[in-house]
Amino acid sequence: MNKKTGTLSRRKFIAGAGAMSGILLTGCDTDIYTPPAIRSGLMGVSDVLTMASQRLLMSGQGLVKEFETSDITKDFPAWGGTNPEDENYQRLASTGFTDWSLSVGGLVNRPSSFSLLDLKRLPPRTQTTMHICEQGWSAIAQWTGVPLTTLLEAAGGVKQEARYVVIDTYDGWYDAYDMFDVVHPQTILAYGLNGKDVPQGNGAPIRLRVERHCGYRNLKFLKSVQVVASVEDIGLGKGGLLSDYNWHWYAGA
Ligand SMILES: Nc1nc2c(c(=O)[nH]1)N[C@H]1C(S)=C(S)[C@@H](COP(=O)(O)O)O[C@H]1N2
Ligand SMILES: [Mo]
């Protein structure tokens, strides 16, 4: 985890805004987003993850709209970071990510590492959804990947104290997701984009899809998944790179 990523300027972050065509313009629909601090404490996470069907938890949470394949946007943009400078990332990329693995640790019962092949062997989910970037564009794509709950189950399930899943990436971005997002059926670790491997610009080999959230929370270039009880020790303590630097794009922040 990059503790103090002081070098990531907003300008660099929004670089690459030009050169796109055929992309729908919409605002980021944040009506349904409630920050974790307000939502926490509603329900113990052990209850959450042991609810076999998760129906109770999900009853107040809708799925986002899924589209037809004919709705898919031609040339899904590669936005923000597209090629992490990280030496390890470059080495892994040079061999087609055959040596890449995702560590899943923290408050799980069986901390584990998953290769790309391991992840592809877990039961997948495919969804065609609209990505909405807070910076004013949106595009529809079909994503295939392993649901985050399935991954956590493959790591033995989470411990009683688990409250957030923290994801770290190869370009210094990190974010934390509460259990409502974690168990949401459309929260997947995607290795496929429109039927092919996720291209490097879109987060190879694996990127997160948290469909109810704005673009920036859909982390690319995943490095690790860590289950924690608190985000105090993560980054500067607010749970995500952008929160740490007060770049709040959701409504009311
Ligand atoms: N690691 C990492 N994840 C990231 C970003 C990034 O620069 N680095 N950009 C975010 C933003 S603002 C958006 S809109 C989407 C863009 O995803 P795309 O490149 O597949 O269009 O990724 C998000 N996840
Ligand atoms: Mo974004």
Side-chain angles (χ1 to χ4, degrees):
M1 184 79 44
N2 236 345
K3 281 235 166 195
K4 298 214 161 50
T5 316
T7 51
L8 188 129
S9 72
R10 185 167 180 131
R11 174 177 298 231
K12 183 172 172 203
F13 167 70
I14 61 174
M20 284 193 300
S21 57
I23 293 151
L24 311 165
L25 278 180
T26 93
C28 191
D29 180 1
T30 54
D31 291 349
I32 50 165
Y33 183 76
T34 311
I38 295 173
R39 288 198 296 213
S40 62
L42 290 179
M43 199 182 280
V45 72
S46 52
D47 300 329
V48 167
L49 290 182
T50 52
M51 259 187 268
S53 67
Q54 287 146 9
R55 286 234 172 81
L56 185 57
L57 174 68
M58 300 316 303
S59 60
Q61 301 197 75
L63 297 183
V64 305
K65 179 178 160 75
E66 296 195 12
F67 294 80
E68 303 297 326
T69 45
S70 56
D71 297 321
I72 289 172
T73 307
K74 204 172 160 278
D75 301 327
F76 192 89
W79 186 266
T82 53
N83 184 13
E85 284 163 23
D86 183 276
E87 239 175 70
N88 286 325
Y89 182 85
Q90 291 297 331
R91 186 175 47 76
L92 295 166
S94 72
T95 52
F97 299 105
T98 44
D99 297 327
W100 174 93
S101 67
L102 184 73
S103 76
V104 180
L107 299 170
V108 289
N109 291 315
R110 207 171 47 239
S112 318
S113 237
F114 297 84
S115 70
L116 206 44
L117 208 57
D118 293 335
L119 294 180
K120 288 182 175 175
R121 285 196 183 116
L122 293 170
R125 187 178 204 283
T126 292
Q127 58 205 32
T128 303
T129 52
M130 185 185 285
H131 177 101
I132 304 174
C133 172
E134 61 295 334
Q135 290 164 82
W137 60 272
S138 69
I140 295 169
Q142 183 185 68
W143 301 98
T144 300
V146 55
L148 185 47
T149 35
T150 305
L151 179 74
L152 294 175
E153 277 160 24
V158 306
K159 300 196 169 165
Q160 188 91 13
E161 319 85 82
R163 289 279 300 283
Y164 300 94
V165 166
V166 174
I167 295 188
D168 198 12
T169 73
Y170 277 103
D171 66 352
W173 284 53
Y174 52 90
D175 209 337
Y177 304 86
D178 65 25
M179 288 301 167
F180 284 76
D181 285 331
V182 170
V183 303
H184 191 276
Q186 289 168 319
T187 298
I188 66 171
L189 276 58
Y191 45 76
L193 168 57
N194 297 337
K196 301 199 176 114
D197 287 347
V198 169
Q200 179 158 324
N202 302 108
I206 297 273
R207 69 98 48 83
L208 180 69
R209 295 302 309 169
V210 274
E211 302 291 356
R212 295 177 305 167
H213 289 286
C214 297
Y216 74 96
R217 301 205 67 196
N218 291 259
L219 292 182
K220 309 196 281 189
F221 321 115
L222 299 200
K223 184 170 163 184
S224 69
V225 168
Q226 197 192 346
V227 181
V228 298
S230 147
V231 296
E232 257 170 52
D233 297 331
I234 306 301
L236 302 182
K238 291 191 195 158
L241 177 66
L242 299 197
S243 321
D244 279 345
Y245 289 92
N246 293 317
W247 299 343
H248 296 292
W249 274 307
Y250 48 82

